[in-house]
Amino acid sequence: MRQRRKLLRAANILKAALLIYREAVYDIDLTKAELQDGILRLYQNPRSITTRSKRGPFPSHITTSIEHREAALAHNQCTMAMALLGRLTRKLLVGEIPRKVITGVSQDLHLLGVVSTIEILDLHIGKPLVPTKLIPGPDSSDCPHTVLKDWILDTAGCQYGFRDVLVPFEKYIADKACRISSQPTAYDATETKDLDYFSTLSFMNMTRTQQEDRELERKARLHFAAFVNMRVGKDLLDGSDAGFKDKFDSFMSGLNLHMLSLANK
């Protein structure tokens, strides 16, 4: 029971941290969010690879629905979330959970923690509740989703309409009709692991604008990492429910202010 409580607290922190980060540095020129035929359609102004992305606070006027806002923030952020939340996940859970655990951040990527080791693996979500689609934009339905075995911590499941952040592994696999598509590997990602890889791909380095956008994202990721280093201690998951709520609120308020301060740097 104590371990489950810590896992649930960790999952809530990870999801909230991801959403706060995306709210501060949203990079889609979103014009409308509309639920149609069971799909949340996210309309954007398209841009070429020679045009800088529109980075800034999430346009809160787009929707009053918390579920739709979270889905828009998490849409197609599987790889980013895996990288962004690596340090925070390890600081929260390594050495805390003496059993297998899987954490989720995207559509097919999932994390597995064993005693002092955390691993990730790829999953395919076969039955999303409310899938999201960027219009115009590529089909991301086959993108991988990241989640820790015995339990799944699903921090970005809101992009599929999933509300629960902590679900027993077998139940999650069955209810979502998941297909495991890779063997687990060590979850040692840094905040910029995906960006470092993208810098080696020729099609993502065709213009100076692509490179500049990536460097802006790198700056934001390192800014996030600095906060995790300063504010995350081993006792963050401890205490009574009321005590944890105070620590959670303080952590998230501090992270929000920290990310907003990025504009001044």
Side-chain angles (χ1 to χ4, degrees), residues 188-250:
D188 57 0
T190 66
E191 285 78 3
T192 62
K193 180 174 182 176
D194 56 331
L195 302 179
D196 297 337
Y197 175 65
F198 296 156
S199 68
T200 69
L201 303 178
S202 59
F203 75 93
M204 300 191 74
N205 291 274
M206 297 175 64
T207 68
R208 181 179 294 275
T209 299
Q210 289 176 300
Q211 297 170 15
E212 291 173 346
D213 276 342
R214 191 165 55 248
E215 289 311 305
L216 287 174
E217 178 67 15
R218 183 184 301 276
K219 181 180 178 181
R221 302 274 190 93
L222 295 177
H223 192 66
F224 177 91
F227 183 85
V228 172
N229 283 337
M230 291 186 300
R231 292 290 301 270
V232 178
K234 292 184 177 181
D235 64 341
L236 184 57
L237 302 180
D238 296 334
S240 65
D241 289 345
F244 172 71
K245 183 179 184 305
D246 289 342
K247 288 192 287 187
F248 177 89
D249 291 344
S250 175

Side-chain angles (χ1 to χ4, degrees), residues 7 34 44 85 138 152 197 248:
L7 281 174
E34 181 179 60
Q44 66 167 338
L85 299 177
I152 282 188
Y197 175 65
F248 177 89

Side-chain angles (χ1 to χ4, degrees), residues 7-151:
L7 281 174
L8 180 57
R9 290 177 176 184
N12 283 320
I13 288 173
L14 290 166
K15 177 183 176 180
L18 171 64
L19 296 178
I20 287 174
Y21 179 87
R22 287 289 291 159
E23 279 188 304
V25 292
Y26 198 66
D27 57 355
I28 298 173
D29 190 2
L30 197 63
T31 60
K32 183 171 68 171
E34 181 179 60
L35 184 63
Q36 185 179 28
D37 299 327
I39 299 173
L40 179 61
R41 303 177 188 273
L42 306 173
Y43 295 88
Q44 66 167 338
N45 287 322
R47 65 180 179 87
S48 70
I49 61 174
T50 60
T51 304
R52 291 280 290 272
S53 62
K54 186 177 181 180
R55 301 173 63 87
F58 179 79
S60 57
H61 66 279
I62 292 294
T63 179
T64 58
S65 166
I66 294 176
E67 290 82 4
H68 293 176
R69 176 179 61 83
E70 291 185 353
L73 291 169
H75 174 73
N76 203 23
Q77 297 303 304
C78 313
T79 302
M80 185 282 286
M82 176 274 297
L84 179 76
L85 299 177
R87 183 190 309 261
L88 180 55
T89 301
R90 291 188 294 273
K91 292 196 74 169
L92 290 173
L93 294 180
V94 167
E96 290 291 336
I97 310 300
R99 66 195 310 181
K100 292 183 177 180
V101 128
I102 285 192
T103 94
V105 181
S106 52
Q107 179 193 359
D108 297 50
L109 270 163
H110 292 64
L111 313 181
L112 182 68
V114 186
V115 190
S116 61
T117 300
I118 300 177
E119 299 176 324
I120 64 173
L121 57 88
D122 291 347
L123 298 180
H124 174 74
I125 303 295
K127 292 172 60 178
L129 290 178
V130 182
T132 57
K133 181 175 178 58
L134 198 60
I135 302 174
D139 182 5
S140 61
S141 60
D142 285 332
C143 290
H145 182 67
T146 305
V147 275
L148 296 172
K149 191 168 168 189
D150 283 353
W151 294 96

